[in-house]
């Protein structure tokens, strides 16, 4: 339910421009300057000043007119920006082609996920060479013939964008519910497919946000979003009836809260989750009695968050009522508020209880300590507890596909900045683990690369972790270029991962660095609290401290330091570029949330009200003044800025297109340098994360990498 958070799928990146212009020489000498063609002239956006006054302060916005999507003036200006970017990026054409071939060469083009058991079948996902999208299949046994029950490539025929969500078979295995977006606007339509005939049922539901079957395989619950893209209603649908007759089960009126439907792992309960950024409430219904009434487990209480699983006659609640790092309690399902409550894991200041899986014979507990996750079991019987920790010093660890309540084995997946993802089957009885799959990366040799994790000291004394990766032999004397990324918002963890494009950078001598800033969740909710609302500036100063620390430690120098952030990480980029433009060589900024004050004042925009608990409500004077003091758009000033590439999408509904468009226009009219300032606005269907196809996304990656390497003088 995070909003201006860039979800990281396999399909991410920046958009690919088409066309070419003659490649200018990169020779900086006088003779070359005389011979080189003149650089294209950047477009200048017209100013139509609008002045507003709030809390006694007047603010003038010269580019507010850009919010009017679809006008001739706007679209002509965006087309001019794209032409300018294409022309300026001409020196990278051959490099981008090379990068694309490298990325495809490292991708196993035909591949499939490790299989997992669910309700009498083995399920898996496969991609095939030359195809943009995945297909879903299942088998009665691992060696049985497969049944392809959803081919996303077929769904994508004739569409410029395709994203699939909530692929959910019914309990009797006869039907499939799934949702598809062809717009890039996160507007999903729910479909139901007969798995015996392959035919679609006539029922279709637009604006679906989540779905779940009841146990009878005849009743489907789903949630829908309103015009502000807030998931606010829960519906019950009976197969064979018209959607117009569906029953509205629940509507959430508080605009801070979203709703989502799910089901417990034991399949006994349907769960209606109702949550804001700080508060949650769960309601449950016996999955065998779908026409019954959902009942509240614990009524919502401001700043108390909890989630639940179910076993026997108990709920297992992960709840932060006694500490921001959460505790685990077992409570009776008959009257959970009354209790008695049995505390299984207390809240601990230094350990974040980040998740709990409840199985028939085991609890699998996920804990985050010193910024890293480990998993351990808490058996219900006399078995010995076992722990799983990856065999590397800096990593990310997550659950794999686990859908069986009575399982004795559990899938886990781990990766690092230099280790492709490994999926293992973990014996909950003995702790033994069996490798199910290691991500194959053709042409990649793990032994040639190294990684570490260090800490830098923020200006207030906080220790901020930074993860680093590089190719062995890269100099450590300040001469190496470095690519520094950051996010730091919504309590989202910036766990490391292996990325194909990172190899292309390391092979060209770059050090990769990932920051773990306050505002994120790397150390649990207290870490989030320390970088949100009236503490938001800590995120920016943490990032600057990381950059300075890396320079001081001779990992790089300011003339070789390129930074990257997306969405709320784009806000981070905008803020640090205003504060310390001298510290960076260039910035690649993706779908940036930079017009903080104007956006948070407009409650008609998607997601605004729900985010008052992340950024604050500017209708309150103190929040307004604090936002104005850091909002990137409001703090652009006459100074030299590094070279910048800003990527966005005309159809983005998480950070609307006008924010980066306005920001670039204001920067161009204000900054004092001659460094490239480029905006690429994808005018075709594309979402917050870019194009939907996996090959398309590699073209996008190559475009962004091309800019980074161009600015570092590494185009050959």
């Amino acid at each position: 339910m995070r909003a201006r958070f860039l979800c990281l799928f396999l399909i991410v990146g920046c958009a690919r421009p088409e066309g070419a212009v003659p490649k200018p020489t990169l020779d900086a000498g006088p003779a070359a300057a005389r011979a080189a063609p003149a650089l294209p002239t950047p477009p200048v956006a017209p100013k139509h000043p609008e002045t507003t006054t709030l809390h006694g302060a007047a603010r003038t916005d010269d580019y507010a007119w850009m919010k009017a999507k679809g006008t001739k003036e706007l679209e002509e200006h965006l087309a001019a920006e794209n032409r300018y970017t294409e022309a300026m990026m001409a020196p990278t054409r051959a490099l981008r082609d090379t990068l694309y071939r490298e990325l495809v060469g490292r991708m196993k083009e035909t591949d499939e996920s490790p299989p997992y058991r669910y309700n009498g079948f083995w399920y898996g996902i496969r991609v095939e060479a030359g195809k943009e999208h995945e297909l879903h299949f299942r088998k009665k046994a691992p060696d049985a013939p497969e049944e392809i029950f959803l081919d996303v490539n077929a769904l994508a025929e004739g569409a410029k964008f395709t994203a699939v969500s909530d692929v959910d078979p019914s309990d009797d295995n006869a039907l499939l519910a799934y949702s598809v977006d062809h717009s890039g606007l996160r507007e999903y339509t729910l479909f139901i497919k007969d798995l015996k005939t392959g035919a679609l049922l006539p029922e279709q539901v637009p604006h679906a946000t989540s779905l779940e079957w009841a146990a009878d395989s005849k009743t489907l619950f789903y949630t829908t979003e309103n015009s502000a893209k807030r998931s606010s209603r829960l519906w019950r649908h009976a197969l064979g009836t018209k959607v117009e007759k569906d029953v509205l089960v629940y509507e959430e009126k508080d605009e801070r809260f979203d709703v989502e439907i799910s089901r417990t792992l034991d399949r006994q309960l349907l769960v209606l989750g109702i949550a804001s950024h700080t508060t949650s409430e769960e309601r449950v219904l016996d999955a065998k009695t779908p026409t019954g009434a959902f009942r509240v487990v614990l009524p919502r209480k401001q700043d108390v968050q909890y989630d639940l699983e179910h076993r026997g006659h108990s709920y297992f609640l992960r709840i932060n009522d006694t500490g921001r790092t959460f505790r685990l309690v077992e409570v009776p399902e008959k009257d959970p508020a009354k209790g008695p409550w049995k505390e299984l894991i207390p809240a601990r200041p230094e350990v974040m209880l980040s998740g709990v899986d409840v199985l028939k014979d085991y609890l699998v507990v996920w804990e985050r300590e010193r910024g890293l996750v480990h998993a351990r079991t808490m058996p219900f019987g006399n078995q010995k507890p076992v722990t799983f920790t990856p065999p590397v010093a800096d990593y990310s660890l997550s659950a794999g596909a686990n859908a069986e309540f009575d399982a004795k084995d559990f899938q886990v997946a781990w990766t690092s900045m230099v280790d492709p993802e490994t999926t293992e089957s973990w014996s909950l009885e003995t702790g033994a683990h069996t490798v199910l799959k290691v991500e194959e990366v053709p042409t990649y040799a793990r032994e040639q690369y190294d990684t570490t994790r260090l800490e830098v000291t923020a200006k207030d004394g906080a220790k901020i972790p930074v993860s680093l990766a590089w190719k062995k032999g890269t100099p450590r004397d300040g001469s190496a270029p470095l690519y520094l990324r950051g996010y730091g918002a919504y309590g989202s963890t910036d766990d490391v991962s292996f990325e194909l494009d990172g190899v292309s950078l390391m092979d060209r001598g770059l050090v990769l660095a990932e920051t773990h800033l306050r505002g994120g969740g790397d150390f649990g909710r207290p870490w989030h609290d320390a970088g949100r609302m009236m503490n938001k500036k800590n995120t920016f100063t943490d990032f600057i401290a990381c950059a300075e620390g890396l320079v001081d430690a001779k990992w790089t120098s300011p003339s070789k330091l390129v930074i990257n952030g997306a969405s709320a990480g784009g806000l981070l980029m905008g803020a640090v570029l205003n504060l310390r433009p001298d510290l960076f060589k260039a910035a690649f900024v993706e779908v940036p949330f930079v017009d903080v004050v104007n956006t948070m004042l407009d409650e008609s925009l998607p997601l605004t009200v729900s985010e008052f608990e992340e950024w604050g409500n500017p209708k309150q004077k103190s929040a307004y003044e604090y936002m104005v003091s850091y909002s990137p758009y409001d703090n652009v000033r006459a100074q030299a800025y590094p070279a910048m590439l800003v990527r966005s999408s005309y159809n983005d509904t998480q950070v609307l297109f006008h924010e980066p468009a306005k920001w670039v226009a204001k920067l161009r009219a204000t900054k004092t340098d001659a460094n490239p300032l480029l905006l690429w606005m994808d005018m075709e269907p594309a979402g917050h994360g870019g194009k939907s196809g996996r090959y398309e996304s590699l073209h996008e990656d190559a475009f962004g990498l091309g800019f980074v390497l161009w600015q570092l003088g590494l185009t050959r």
Side-chain angles (χ1 to χ4, degrees):
M1 296 185 186
R2 297 186 177 93
R4 295 177 180 93
F5 163 54
L6 181 66
C7 298
L8 301 179
F9 302 101
L10 292 176
I11 308 163
V12 294
C14 63
R16 179 183 80 244
E18 300 295 343
V21 273
K23 178 179 177 180
T25 178
L26 297 181
D27 188 339
R34 288 194 298 271
L39 290 175
T41 302
V44 176
K47 296 181 179 181
H48 304 309
E50 293 185 14
T51 300
T52 58
T53 301
L54 182 63
H55 305 302
R59 295 168 56 252
T60 298
D61 187 350
D62 290 329
Y63 305 104
W65 63 271
M66 288 188 179
K67 288 177 62 176
K69 188 176 185 179
T71 64
K72 181 180 179 181
E73 181 179 34
L74 172 67
E75 295 196 349
E76 286 181 348
H77 172 71
L78 295 178
E81 288 281 12
N82 284 351
R83 288 193 300 271
Y84 175 66
T85 296
E86 288 177 334
M88 290 293 290
M89 287 286 286
T92 70
R93 172 65 64 179
L95 172 63
R96 284 148 48 196
D97 290 343
T98 298
L99 290 165
Y100 175 76
R101 289 193 297 271
E102 288 178 10
L103 296 175
V104 173
R106 291 193 199 102
M107 179 175 69
K108 189 179 181 186
E109 295 187 74
T110 297
D111 200 6
E112 64 183 51
S113 65
Y116 66 94
R117 292 172 295 167
Y118 173 66
N119 197 25
F121 283 87
W122 288 84
Y123 283 83
I125 298 174
R126 183 166 65 249
V127 291
E128 296 179 344
K131 295 183 179 180
E132 292 281 7
H133 302 282
E134 74 279 7
L135 55 85
H136 299 252
F137 65 90
R138 64 183 183 180
K139 304 176 181 181
K140 271 293 189 180
D143 57 352
E146 71 176 25
E147 169 197 353
I148 297 174
F149 61 87
L150 188 66
D151 185 348
V152 181
N153 296 288
L155 298 179
E157 289 182 5
K160 293 184 177 180
F161 181 94
T162 300
V164 171
S165 181
D166 295 309
V167 178
D168 192 8
S170 58
D171 286 34
D172 64 3
N173 291 311
L175 299 168
L176 179 75
Y178 64 94
S179 55
V180 183
D181 172 30
H182 286 306
S183 68
L185 294 167
R186 292 187 303 127
E187 292 182 352
Y188 286 87
T189 298
L190 186 158
F191 297 90
I192 304 173
K193 182 178 181 180
D194 185 325
L195 292 178
K196 294 180 180 178
T197 67
L200 291 178
L201 276 60
E203 298 98 309
Q204 297 182 13
V205 180
H207 304 290
T209 52
S210 64
L211 58 90
E212 193 65 65
W213 290 99
D216 63 3
S217 299
K218 298 177 181 178
T219 308
L220 184 67
F221 289 87
Y222 62 89
T223 56
T224 57
E225 64 186 10
N226 59 20
S227 59
K229 302 202 73 66
R230 181 174 69 90
S231 183
S232 59
R233 293 180 174 182
L234 173 69
W235 303 83
R236 184 178 69 240
H237 173 72
L239 291 184
T241 64
K242 293 183 177 181
V243 170
E244 293 79 6
K245 300 291 186 180
D246 287 356
V247 176
L248 178 61
V249 177
Y250 179 80
E251 181 173 12
E252 177 56 49
K253 300 291 188 180
D254 191 327
E255 293 182 87
R256 297 174 301 159
F257 287 79
D258 288 79
V259 301
E260 181 178 27
I261 188 68
S262 62
R263 200 161 158 187
T264 53
L265 187 62
D266 66 2
R267 309 297 290 167
Q268 297 302 305
L269 299 176
L270 291 152
V271 182
L272 173 61
I274 309 168
S276 74
H277 284 286
T278 63
T279 306
S280 65
E281 176 181 290
E282 306 271 68
R283 301 186 180 204
V284 296
L285 174 65
D286 190 326
K288 296 178 181 178
T289 58
T291 58
F294 280 80
R295 61 188 184 276
V296 175
V297 176
L298 297 177
R300 72 188 69 173
K301 182 178 179 181
Q302 182 61 37
D303 296 324
V304 173
Q305 297 169 293
Y306 70 96
D307 48 58
L308 69 82
E309 267 296 346
H310 180 261
R311 175 182 179 271
H313 298 290
S314 295
Y315 299 130
F316 291 79
L317 305 182
R318 189 185 71 99
I319 186 169
N320 67 348
D321 59 338
T322 63
R324 292 290 285 159
T325 54
F326 288 79
R327 63 174 177 150
L328 179 65
V329 295
E330 180 181 0
V331 302
E333 65 176 347
K334 183 177 181 180
D335 192 349
K338 183 177 179 180
W341 287 26
K342 179 181 178 182
E343 185 175 77
L344 303 178
I345 302 175
R348 297 152 293 171
E350 302 303 321
V351 181
M352 173 71 176
L353 180 61
S354 56
V356 179
D357 291 287
V358 180
L359 285 74
K360 181 180 178 181
D361 297 320
Y362 300 88
L363 296 173
V364 178
V365 178
W366 300 85
E367 296 171 317
R368 183 174 290 273
E369 190 171 7
R370 297 184 61 81
L372 296 171
V373 173
H374 67 262
R376 63 184 177 94
T377 65
M378 293 180 62
F380 289 111
N382 296 320
Q383 302 95 326
K384 182 180 178 181
V386 294
T387 299
F388 186 90
T389 303
V392 291
D394 190 29
Y395 60 85
S396 65
L397 173 67
S398 60
N402 298 287
E404 293 286 321
F405 179 64
D406 60 356
K408 297 293 190 294
D409 300 299
F410 198 82
Q411 282 191 18
V412 294
W414 64 270
T415 181
S416 80
M417 295 178 79
V418 297
D419 291 284
E421 185 174 80
T422 297
T423 303
E424 303 189 21
S425 178
W426 177 28
S427 170
L428 301 176
E429 294 180 308
T430 67
H433 43 95
T434 302
V435 174
L436 299 176
K437 179 181 176 63
V438 177
E439 178 188 357
E440 291 187 45
V441 184
T443 74
Y444 176 70
R446 165 63 179 88
E447 67 276 6
Q448 295 181 12
Y449 305 85
D450 209 346
T451 185
T452 192
R453 186 180 178 97
L454 54 83
E455 290 183 342
V456 299
T457 303
K459 69 175 188 177
D460 61 357
K463 301 296 183 181
I464 313 300
V466 182
S467 298
L468 295 162
W470 64 95
K471 191 170 187 176
K472 293 177 180 178
T474 300
R476 177 77 182 280
D477 57 5
S479 65
L482 187 144
Y483 192 50
L484 180 65
R485 300 186 298 188
Y487 187 74
Y490 300 107
S492 173
T493 56
D494 293 314
D495 290 329
V496 297
S497 63
F498 179 83
E499 297 176 9
L500 298 181
D501 54 1
V503 181
S504 289
L505 293 178
M506 290 189 290
D507 282 350
R508 288 169 172 81
L510 274 74
V511 178
L512 307 182
E514 184 75 47
T515 57
H516 305 277
L517 313 171
R518 285 178 288 184
D522 298 78
F523 289 80
R525 292 296 184 192
W527 201 247
H528 179 206
D529 293 339
R532 72 178 181 96
M533 303 292 281
M534 304 297 279
N535 294 319
K536 187 61 206 168
K537 291 182 183 179
N538 283 338
T539 308
F540 316 142
T541 54
D542 285 356
F543 188 86
I544 290 170
C546 290
E548 291 174 332
L550 293 170
V551 170
D552 290 343
K554 301 296 184 182
W555 285 99
T556 191
S557 61
S559 64
K560 298 290 186 71
L561 178 53
V562 181
I563 58 176
N564 169 252
S567 198
L571 163 62
L572 168 66
M573 295 297 101
V576 301
L577 288 168
N578 284 333
L579 291 169
R580 287 294 310 277
D582 59 301
L583 191 53
F584 314 110
K585 169 64 176 177
F588 175 32
V589 188
E590 303 176 80
V591 290
F593 173 43
V594 285
D595 192 11
V596 180
V597 180
N598 287 322
T599 292
M600 295 306 296
L601 280 170
D602 190 348
E603 296 182 15
S604 70
L605 295 177
L607 313 170
T608 293
V609 175
S610 65
E611 301 212 347
F612 286 160
E613 294 179 316
E614 179 70 21
W615 314 106
N617 184 348
K619 291 182 180 178
Q620 300 170 358
K621 187 176 188 227
S622 58
Y624 171 83
E625 291 175 345
Y626 190 70
M627 285 182 190
V628 169
S629 72
Y630 72 74
S631 171
Y633 183 66
D634 292 282
N635 287 278
V636 170
R637 53 184 180 267
Q639 60 181 355
Y641 284 85
M644 298 168 59
L645 170 62
V646 181
R647 179 193 72 82
S648 187
S649 168
Y650 202 46
N651 280 358
D652 192 347
T653 59
Q654 290 175 259
V655 177
L656 299 188
F657 71 92
H658 64 261
E659 293 203 37
K662 289 171 58 179
W663 183 47
V664 168
K666 188 172 183 179
L667 278 166
R668 189 168 285 135
T670 308
K671 72 191 188 82
T672 60
D673 61 87
N675 294 323
L677 171 59
L678 310 179
L679 172 66
W680 177 258
M681 184 68 67
D682 196 333
M683 302 301 289
E684 294 186 352
H688 195 53
K691 299 288 190 184
S692 60
R694 61 189 183 125
Y695 291 96
E696 288 180 317
S697 72
L698 295 183
H699 278 294
E700 294 181 334
D701 290 344
F703 184 59
L705 294 182
F707 171 80
V708 172
L709 294 171
W710 173 40
Q711 291 307 307
L712 291 168
L714 300 173
T715 57
R716 291 187 174 87

